[in-house]
Amino acid sequence: MRTLRASGAGLGVLILLAALALAAWFLSWSRFAPLPQRSGRLVLPGLHAAVSVRRDARGIPYVRAGSLHDVYEAQGYLEGQARLFQMDVLRRFVGGRLAEIFGKGALGVDIVHRDIGGAALAQAIYDRAAPPERLALDAYAQGVNAAIARGPLPPEFKVLLYRPAPWRPQDSILCGLATVIDLTHAWNQIALRQAIDVALGAQAAQALYPITDPAYDAPLLGRPAPVTAMPPLRAAGSARGGGDALRIALRLPRAAALEASNEWAVGGAQTRAGRALLANDPHLDYTVPMVWYALALRAPGLDAVGVSLPGTPGIILGHNAHIAWGATNGTVSTVTLYRERVGRDARGDPTYLDPQTRRWVPMGARVERIAVRAGRAVVFTRRSTRHGFIVVDGSGTPTPYAAAWVAERDPRSPLEPFLRLDRAATLEEALDILRRYPGPPQNFVLADDRGRVAYHLAGSIPDDGVWGTRAVDGSRVVDAWRGYVPFDALPHVAPSRTAIVFTANNRMYGAGYRYRLTDAFGPPYRAARIRALLHARGLVTVRAMERLQLDDYSAPELELVRDALAAVRRHPRAAGNVRDQRLLERWEGRFDGSSRAATLAFDLRVAAERDFAVAVLGPALGQAWLDDAGALALVPLLRALRERPRGWFADGDGDGLLLRALREAEAAAGAVPPAWGSAGATPLHHPLAKLGMTLFDPGVIPGWGDAYTVKVQTPVYGQSFRAVWEPGAWDRGGMTLPLGESGRPRSPHYRDLLQSWTAGALAPLTLDGPAAAASASSALLLVPAS
């Protein structure tokens, strides 16, 4: 996730500690990095009765306990054994405490998260938690603290010369909030779109933040809704203006919403076996260790297997004895950005114009002290208005924007619904649980052992009427929210044996739907491909679902390549490398590892998007838009090439841009373009690699797929797991993960799954697991203190 990507930035500033760290690293690697106990008998204080832990050949633990308390305490202990450094970084990230360990290079990240108020929010959620959730959080914390006390600690703590603080139940909520922050509609994006709106007009801003690509629109519900044609542009590059809104937007931190996901489910009437099938592959950053921790949990009333988010109790995505579920980000708006009228009083303290009283009133203030390793502590004052917290820029300077977001305004736990979902017996019960899921909004697909599938968008979505398309005038509007969009009004498909449901972060609703929900959904290209293949293959099987998850065809990039080749034919004198163009002419849109044409196609897209952004928006705003838009950037480029709206291309038709981009792609690829397996590879780096400690780096994932193929893989993010479930015949499906269960570099399960992941293999992950198999590699008995 962006969480761990951002936290890694602070490591580069520990120059003063580098010599000590390197010495400690060699010592910890060679002598002082023993592994935790994995078999035999172990006393775990706090348990009510004995708990058995068996691991399969992949090191995935299957936990059997006599109570919910004991199963969650055991989970906390196991995840503390395997992922403690990852968990500690995660809680520090959300709580704004990275600089304590990583120094001043992490200070900017800390200021942003103190501004968001993660620690106060976690405390508010814990205070409001119902007894069952508190039981899980408290028991999990007991287990983590037992892992800290018993040791051995992971080597990263020796390298960085610190010891982790005791784990609190609120720390698990902080870890859960990491996904809320990552998947929340960014207020910075709204501010940037507002600047484009001011510079080029609302229609141009809408074209640059498209709700879909009409040529590929693949709504799950109804027929495609009409999309407004791209408007004429005032003048290419005219957005170099934009006034105050632009200056503020360019100061804000930028990070494209890279994470995406695929999911689909097929009712039993549409499958060869007559049972429902469900597939899910969330797309997140390739972190070391990997984002998820796989395990199975069994206790009275609980029988679930899948993946957890390290630091949090329960199974987040997976299945229980009766139902399976998957999720993709809803990409809908949960934030309203207000542009406040700000000033200062006689003492110089900040004020704002209150829209209700029409008086200048003081901003709320909360002083935060941020400790900085090898430096002076920094005092940060968090400001707020009646609307929400004041957004700060990259240097911590307040802006005139205030953000109202669901998590702060209505602090409810994102973990509690998953704890209940783990125990749901029917689709109806699961959907009722999702009715109270607070967010971040997700597209949930579900399947049961009766052959039925269902879909529902779930989460609290404020009906503010602007949906992130612009900022609201805070000096005139008291509260833009008109409540939340009702759960029953959110897009959904009722349980059915005949349904085929799918989402891939795209616009899921069709014509006639009442609510816009967002300024821009994800591009529809993956969803269009998934829909086409599901409806074209007759009765669906588990193996067909596996093959679909590995599909490496990119229709939009093939369209762009054909546009560029057509431009070459129209302007033969401007043609570049004939050999490269012949490679592209033979390309069929596949990003497989052996393809050299795929490397050229990728470089062509990157160059064309960059040239398009600069031509339309100018260098500074163009780069900011590219950083912010991420995968969305291809949509307006393709639409402009199809529709040829006035003013978007200097030559009117885009041929000049395409020819220039093609020359740039040929130069980037070199005399002989490398195969995509190497050019599109994803290097896997442990966070300590920023200190030159590359021995912890587990390897490389060869290039296969890209951002627009169903099999998503980029240099930064991609499929974080692949799962296919057949409810009622759980051993026929399974789950595969990209790296390994353990976060400890010396563990045999640190990188052992990388080869099977690269090969595209899927391994069973059943409820019984090694408890009923002779292949159990180790067994651990956790017993209460006498």
Side-chain angles (χ1 to χ4, degrees):
M1 296 177 293
R2 292 194 301 275
T3 297
L4 297 180
R5 189 191 326 153
S7 64
L11 289 168
V13 305
L14 296 177
I15 298 174
L16 295 177
L17 298 173
L20 289 174
L22 285 170
W25 170 57
F26 283 115
L27 287 172
S28 66
W29 183 259
S30 60
R31 295 183 58 191
F32 300 119
L35 296 174
Q37 181 178 342
R38 290 169 49 87
S39 60
R41 183 184 177 93
L42 188 151
V43 174
L44 193 60
L47 288 181
H48 299 158
V51 176
S52 70
V53 180
R54 292 181 176 270
R55 290 179 169 88
D56 66 12
R58 294 177 287 177
I60 295 173
Y62 290 73
V63 183
R64 305 290 186 266
S67 68
L68 291 176
H69 172 279
D70 286 0
V71 81
Y72 294 131
E73 182 177 351
Q75 181 184 3
Y77 181 77
L78 294 170
E79 292 186 6
Q81 277 190 326
R83 302 292 188 89
L84 186 58
F85 180 68
Q86 178 188 29
M87 291 158 55
D88 187 60
V89 169
L90 202 56
R91 65 173 168 173
R92 288 180 177 278
F93 172 83
V94 180
R97 295 178 52 230
L98 287 173
E100 293 178 10
I101 303 304
F102 298 135
K104 65 180 181 180
L107 185 58
V109 177
D110 280 357
I111 288 174
V112 168
H113 289 92
R114 296 294 181 100
D115 194 34
I116 292 171
L121 181 56
Q123 184 64 54
I125 289 172
Y126 182 74
D127 290 343
R128 296 174 60 174
E133 183 181 9
R134 279 209 177 193
L135 179 147
L137 292 168
D138 292 349
Y140 185 92
Q142 280 184 290
V144 177
N145 285 325
I148 293 173
R150 175 174 288 274
L153 292 177
E156 293 93 340
F157 292 104
K158 290 189 176 73
V159 171
L160 295 174
L161 306 176
Y162 82 101
R163 183 176 178 84
W167 193 266
R168 307 173 309 141
Q170 295 88 336
D171 292 330
S172 290
I173 298 174
L174 284 173
C175 290
L177 287 174
T179 61
V180 177
I181 294 170
D182 269 350
L183 302 178
T184 290
H185 195 171
W187 35 85
N188 297 354
Q189 180 177 339
I190 302 171
L192 186 63
R193 177 168 175 151
Q194 176 82 8
I196 295 174
D197 190 319
V198 171
L200 292 180
Q203 289 184 316
Q206 181 169 302
L208 289 168
Y209 286 97
I211 200 163
T212 190
D213 183 335
Y216 297 85
D217 198 24
L220 174 59
L221 304 166
R223 67 183 188 281
V227 176
T228 305
M230 292 187 74
L233 198 61
R234 294 173 183 171
S238 65
R240 293 181 178 90
D244 188 44
L246 176 58
R247 286 190 294 273
I248 295 169
L250 292 180
R251 297 200 326 257
L252 294 172
R254 297 190 301 273
L258 302 178
E259 291 82 8
S261 300
N262 299 322
E263 63 179 358
W264 58 90
V266 182
Q270 310 275 5
T271 70
R272 185 168 297 171
R275 286 182 287 267
L277 295 172
L278 184 148
N280 189 203
D281 55 289
H283 308 154
L284 300 169
D285 270 17
Y286 283 125
T287 61
V288 178
M290 61 187 181
V291 170
W292 305 104
Y293 184 79
L295 77 166
L297 301 175
R298 175 170 287 176
L302 172 66
D303 202 357
V305 64
V307 292
S308 75
L309 182 68
T312 64
I315 300 297
I316 301 297
L317 297 172
H319 71 83
N320 60 32
H322 300 288
I323 67 169
W325 62 95
T328 69
N329 190 22
T331 58
V332 300
S333 178
T334 55
V335 174
T336 301
L337 193 69
Y338 292 84
R339 175 66 185 260
E340 307 283 18
R341 285 187 62 187
V342 298
R344 292 191 178 272
D345 62 19
R347 294 178 300 180
D349 293 330
T351 60
Y352 73 102
L353 184 61
D354 186 285
Q356 188 169 43
T357 65
R358 303 303 297 168
R359 294 178 182 273
W360 290 91
V361 297
M363 289 185 182
R366 186 175 73 214
V367 177
E368 303 262 353
R369 183 183 180 276
I370 305 175
V372 180
R373 188 170 193 172
R376 292 182 177 179
V378 171
V379 175
F380 167 70
T381 302
R382 182 186 191 265
R383 304 285 183 182
S384 60
T385 71
R386 67 160 45 244
H387 298 120
F389 65 89
I390 290 291
V391 176
V392 297
D393 66 16
S395 65
T397 303
T399 71
Y401 291 114
W405 69 311
V406 170
E408 182 179 38
R409 190 153 161 176
D410 185 13
R412 291 182 291 144
S413 173
L415 300 176
E416 187 268 345
F418 289 106
L419 295 174
R420 296 181 61 208
L421 201 60
D422 292 346
R423 305 172 65 188
T426 67
L427 291 188
E428 288 76 13
E429 182 182 354
L431 290 168
D432 189 58
I433 291 168
L434 294 178
R435 183 179 294 275
R436 289 178 291 278
Y437 169 70
Q442 298 286 294
N443 296 295
F444 285 92
V445 297
L446 307 101
D448 70 7
D449 53 8
R450 295 166 56 186
R452 302 181 302 164
V453 300
Y455 157 77
H456 217 298
L457 176 64
S460 299
I461 305 171
D463 180 7
D464 65 1
V466 294
W467 310 115
T469 60
R470 59 179 174 83
V472 175
D473 186 348
S475 69
R476 295 180 179 274
V477 179
V478 175
D479 186 357
W481 290 15
R482 301 177 295 235
Y484 296 128
V485 179
F487 181 79
D488 293 330
L490 293 173
H492 63 278
V493 175
S496 167
R497 283 185 52 83
T498 60
I500 296 178
V501 297
F502 59 90
T503 67
N505 314 108
N506 59 303
R507 181 172 69 170
M508 73 295 286
Y509 60 79
Y513 184 68
R514 176 180 175 183
Y515 302 98
R516 181 184 173 102
L517 298 182
T518 188
D519 65 328
F521 286 103
Y525 307 125
R526 287 179 286 112
R529 178 68 172 171
I530 291 167
R531 180 182 66 177
L533 293 181
L534 285 176
H535 285 277
R537 289 180 170 174
L539 294 178
V540 184
T541 65
V542 168
R543 298 296 166 252
M545 302 274 269
E546 289 182 57
R547 289 193 297 270
L548 180 48
Q549 286 184 323
L550 301 175
D551 185 81
D552 56 17
Y553 174 77
S554 174
E557 285 161 299
L558 182 58
E559 178 184 348
L560 183 64
V561 165
R562 288 172 174 171
D563 286 343
L565 293 174
V568 169
R569 289 191 291 272
R570 287 191 291 269
H571 306 276
R573 294 185 179 181
N577 188 310
V578 175
R579 182 178 55 190
D580 286 348
Q581 289 161 23
R582 287 175 179 167
L583 267 179
L584 289 175
E585 286 171 353
R586 295 192 296 270
W587 189 53
E588 297 179 344
R590 297 281 181 182
F591 277 85
D592 65 89
S594 63
S595 174
R596 299 184 185 277
T599 302
L600 275 170
F602 173 84
D603 290 335
L604 171 66
R605 174 178 63 79
V606 171
E609 289 173 347
R610 181 180 61 245
D611 295 346
F612 177 73
V614 172
V616 172
L617 297 168
L621 186 54
Q623 187 58 56
W625 173 74
L626 281 176
D627 292 342
D628 185 68
L632 275 175
L634 183 56
V635 179
L637 171 60
L638 289 179
R639 288 194 64 197
L641 289 169
R642 287 187 221 119
E643 299 175 27
R644 311 288 174 90
R646 181 170 52 83
W648 289 79
F649 298 115
D651 58 3
D653 60 9
D655 280 3
L657 181 144
L658 288 171
L659 292 170
R660 182 169 63 255
L662 184 57
R663 291 192 295 270
E664 292 167 353
E666 291 167 350
V672 179
W676 184 243
S678 58
T682 303
L684 300 173
H685 296 298
H686 187 280
L688 295 185
K690 289 184 177 292
L691 283 179
M693 302 178 191
T694 57
L695 188 58
F696 290 0
D697 291 353
V700 174
I701 301 177
W704 182 11
D706 88 331
Y708 301 97
T709 60
V710 176
K711 187 191 180 302
V712 167
Q713 183 183 333
T714 77
V716 176
Y717 70 98
Q719 294 172 315
S720 58
F721 70 71
R722 293 188 294 268
V724 177
W725 308 119
E726 184 172 340
W730 300 109
D731 59 329
R732 298 194 181 186
M735 174 181 283
T736 184
L737 299 119
L739 195 51
E741 276 283 273
S742 179
R744 294 176 180 259
R746 289 192 62 203
S747 168
H749 299 296
Y750 181 62
R751 67 187 87 193
D752 58 313
L753 303 182
L754 185 55
Q755 184 174 356
S756 62
W757 175 266
T758 300
L762 191 71
L765 188 62
T766 64
L767 292 165
D768 291 331
S775 62
S777 58
S778 61
L780 177 67
L781 184 66
L782 304 175
V783 298
S786 56

